[in-house]
Amino acid sequence: MIHYHGTPITPRKALLEMSGRHFCVSFADPRDIDVCLRIGQSVMLDNGAFTAFTKGKPMDVPRYIAWCEEHLAHPHWAVIPDVIDGTEEQQRTGIAGWPFPAELSAPVWHLGLSLDWLLEMADNWPRIALGSSGQYWQVGSPSWTRRMDEAFNALASRRRYLPWIHGMRMLGQCDGPWPLASADSTNVARNHKTARIHPELMAARIDAKQPAKRWSGTAQIELI
């Protein structure tokens, strides 16, 4: 599993000491992008929809696309614009306007949307990001956990090998039962000062945790 540590991480000295880690840089606060591209193994470019939603502001999609155009290349990848608590049609609209190759991209499936939409994404995209919203906003809650089980059961019922599944705000679940290929969170950035733990040490402890290789849920597996 690849662990993406959210930024900004301050002071700058602390970020530099995390050289060699993987980073998530949000369009909502991209101040660390140049440093992360220089010192990180890979960088996930996040569209900032979570920040925009919590602040009640709309996303500037054209500016986000221009920002990705400047920075996007292997091994980095970007999250396709999405609407938190939006409809499936709104998500389709965001995907339809996305100009970059699938291998450099990830659409977001929100846990509140249909499993059929998740399976359609899995048929068309090599990487899918799972986002928590609506009644499943709280990562780790009982309802959220049940929905994650349902999602992986659905995927496993159709495929022996799952697509690349990225968990947004899910580094806390990196040793859980769901076989996430990658996840991100701002745990280090937000908590290293109050916890009085060096960011690199926090990152090392997180990166040492890995999820199960395969989903062992209760789905009736039908291989394709």
Side-chain angles (χ1 to χ4, degrees):
M1 175 179 171
I2 296 179
H3 306 71
Y4 287 93
H5 299 284
T7 61
I9 295 172
T10 58
R12 178 55 55 84
K13 180 178 182 290
L15 175 61
L16 293 173
E17 290 174 351
M18 290 178 64
S19 177
R21 301 290 174 187
H22 299 266
F23 297 102
C24 171
V25 179
S26 173
F27 180 62
D29 191 340
R31 74 181 87 165
D32 286 343
I33 183 63
D34 291 331
V35 173
C36 288
L37 288 170
R38 188 173 76 246
I39 70 171
Q41 289 193 53
S42 69
V43 177
M44 166 191 166
L45 305 178
D46 181 42
N47 61 33
F50 177 80
T51 300
F53 178 80
T54 56
K55 292 185 176 180
K57 296 181 178 180
M59 269 192 64
D60 190 335
V61 173
R63 284 188 60 218
Y64 173 62
I65 289 176
W67 183 67
C68 289
E69 179 71 43
E70 180 181 359
H71 301 298
L72 196 55
H74 289 301
H76 318 303
W77 57 278
V79 179
I80 297 174
D82 64 302
V83 180
I84 295 178
D85 281 347
T87 65
E88 181 180 312
E89 288 309 311
Q90 286 175 306
Q91 315 303 343
R92 288 183 183 275
T93 297
I95 291 173
W98 184 246
F100 303 106
E103 61 267 23
L104 297 176
S105 314
V108 181
W109 179 73
H110 292 278
L111 271 64
L113 297 180
S114 73
L115 294 173
D116 286 341
W117 175 226
L118 170 64
L119 294 175
E120 182 180 332
M121 283 185 174
D123 287 338
N124 292 284
W125 295 88
R127 181 190 287 111
I128 303 167
L130 302 190
S132 305
S133 61
Q135 63 180 310
Y136 309 111
W137 178 264
Q138 185 180 348
V139 175
S141 68
S143 62
W144 182 92
T145 298
R146 287 192 295 270
R147 189 57 172 171
M148 286 286 287
D149 288 347
E150 291 171 354
F152 276 91
N153 281 342
L155 289 167
S157 72
R158 293 274 295 272
R159 296 174 178 273
R160 179 177 182 181
Y161 298 103
L162 302 183
W164 184 292
I165 300 296
H166 175 86
M168 304 189 78
R169 298 193 292 132
M170 295 187 196
L171 276 185
Q173 284 66 44
C174 60
D175 59 349
W178 306 285
L180 298 170
S182 59
D184 70 85
S185 82
T186 56
N187 184 16
V188 172
R190 296 180 63 182
N191 298 319
H192 75 91
K193 292 179 181 177
T194 54
R196 297 183 178 181
I197 301 175
H198 193 282
E200 169 58 18
L201 178 57
M202 285 188 70
R205 290 175 177 174
I206 293 170
D207 288 9
K209 297 179 180 180
Q210 297 290 332
K213 291 189 301 180
R214 294 183 177 86
W215 175 238
S216 58
T218 57
Q220 297 297 315
I221 305 300
E222 179 182 349
L223 304 183
I224 64 171

